[in-house]
């Protein structure tokens, strides 16, 4: 296997609440989606190897804008607010939901969606809707089974099965076990990103 991609630099380049604020440099983008508090921001920190670049919190609703992290001056990781959290500010939540949908339908630079789900539990109704949305628009997706550090290996097979069945996962979508706690899956995701970037050139 090729050497693991090195992260030379990464920083938050743009915080967006509307389309006109998105980057215009046309670099490839990777978007994270998932339930609030599932670990999207932690996933970014783990990939780039910085503890606190993306703000995380044990209370849901931490990420409020579309956050474009520029990595190696070559691609963006895009962090978004999570779904399934009844926030106080419903109008804002609705606005961000529509913005994410619009992004998914139209963004040409989008190379892959990382849909993060909680490996410990059955997919929620919102997870199922999101997956169906991605399938409907034929958007390439990789499922990240997060927080696997919290699951004993004796439960792996069962949890896999429950998730596969409930999301009705297509055969050709890959799933990656991940943990921001012990970094499991990090190399696999970085290799995948690298492969997709090469395809772009
Ligand atoms: P929103 O921004 O609210 O949508 O949440 P988020 O999806 O960005 O989640 P965030 O990364 O802020 O993490 C939420 C909580 O889950 C934090 O307390 C993290 O420490 C914890 N967490 C994230 N990933 C993992 C993981 O792989 N394992 C464990 N055990 N905890 C995790
Ligand atoms: Mg977040």
């Amino acid at each position: 296997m090729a050497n693991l991609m090195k992260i030379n630099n990464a920083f938050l380049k743009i915080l967006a609440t509307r389309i006109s604020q998105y980057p215009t440099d046309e670099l490839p983008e990777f978007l994270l989606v998932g339930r609030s508090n599932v670990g999207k921001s932690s996933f970014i920190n783990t990939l780039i190897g910085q503890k606190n670049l993306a703000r995380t919190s044990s209370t849901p609703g931490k990420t409020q804008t579309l956050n474009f992290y520029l990595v190696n001056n070559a691609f963006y990781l895009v962090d978004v607010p999570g779904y399934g959290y009844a926030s106080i500010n419903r109008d804002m939540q609705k606005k961000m939901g529509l913005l994410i949908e619009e992004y998914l339908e139209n963004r040409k630079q989008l190379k892959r969606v990382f849909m993060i789900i909680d490996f410990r539990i059955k997919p929620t109704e919102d997870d199922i809707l999101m997956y169906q949305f991605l399938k409907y628009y034929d958007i390439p997706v990789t499922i990240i089974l997060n927080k696997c550090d919290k699951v004993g290996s004796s439960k792996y097979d069962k949890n896999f099965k429950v998730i596969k069945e409930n999301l009705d996962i297509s055969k050709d979508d890959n799933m990656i076990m991940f943990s921001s706690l012990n970094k499991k899956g990090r190399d696999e995701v970085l290799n995948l990103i690298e492969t997709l970037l090469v395809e772009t050139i």
Side-chain angles (χ1 to χ4, degrees):
M1 194 185 281
N3 285 337
L4 190 66
M5 175 179 19
K6 267 218 182 83
I7 306 296
N8 298 317
N9 57 73
F11 64 98
L12 175 58
K13 180 145 185 218
I14 287 168
L15 284 137
T17 52
R18 49 193 139 82
I19 300 169
S20 61
Q21 297 166 330
Y22 293 175
T24 52
D25 48 23
E26 298 192 9
L27 291 173
E29 294 174 0
F30 299 85
L31 186 85
L32 307 177
V33 296
R35 208 161 46 83
S36 196
N37 218 39
V38 73
K40 297 176 295 301
S41 301
S42 305
F43 178 82
I44 290 188
N45 288 335
T46 301
L47 284 190
I48 61 189
Q50 287 187 39
K51 272 219 158 81
N52 296 311
L53 186 61
R55 302 280 302 281
T56 67
S57 166
S58 54
T59 44
K62 184 70 189 172
T63 309
Q64 305 267 357
T65 49
L66 263 65
N67 298 344
F68 292 80
Y69 293 88
L70 180 58
V71 184
N72 291 352
N73 295 312
F75 65 94
Y76 288 99
L77 294 172
V78 190
D79 196 10
V80 310
Y83 48 71
Y85 165 62
S87 84
I88 311 155
N89 193 341
R90 276 178 174 254
D91 285 350
M92 188 61 181
Q93 201 179 23
K94 198 168 171 197
K95 186 182 161 194
M96 295 312 292
L98 289 172
L99 200 62
I100 293 165
E101 281 180 24
E102 193 283 335
Y103 175 101
L104 288 168
E105 284 171 44
N106 299 315
R107 192 74 170 162
K108 297 276 181 298
Q109 300 90 313
L110 176 63
K111 288 295 155 228
R112 178 70 53 109
V113 170
F114 291 114
M115 178 169 165
I116 309 207
I117 62 169
D118 192 330
F119 189 48
R120 297 173 298 179
I121 57 167
K122 206 170 120 177
T124 64
E125 206 51 46
D126 290 321
D127 287 331
I128 294 168
L129 287 173
M130 174 51 83
Y131 188 71
Q132 286 172 348
F133 181 92
L134 295 171
K135 289 287 111 183
Y136 180 81
Y137 286 100
D138 213 8
I139 298 163
V141 56
T142 293
I143 311 262
I144 303 295
L145 305 168
N146 198 35
K147 304 197 183 183
C148 71
D149 55 277
K150 295 261 193 186
V151 179
S153 51
S154 63
K155 294 215 176 112
Y156 275 21
D157 285 353
K158 181 175 158 264
N159 290 23
F160 253 124
K161 195 162 167 259
V162 168
I163 288 166
K164 253 188 171 155
E165 281 174 4
N166 280 276
L167 280 186
D168 194 16
I169 291 181
S170 324
K171 279 202 288 298
D172 39 338
D173 283 338
N174 60 335
M175 295 198 277
I176 297 178
M177 307 269 293
F178 199 89
S179 165
S180 284
L181 215 76
N182 62 26
K183 316 252 181 297
K184 185 180 169 73
R186 177 179 187 263
D187 294 0
E188 203 176 330
V189 174
L190 287 177
N191 281 329
L192 173 63
I193 290 175
E194 184 150 47
T195 307
L196 294 169
L197 288 174
V198 171
E199 280 172 12
T200 314
I201 298 165

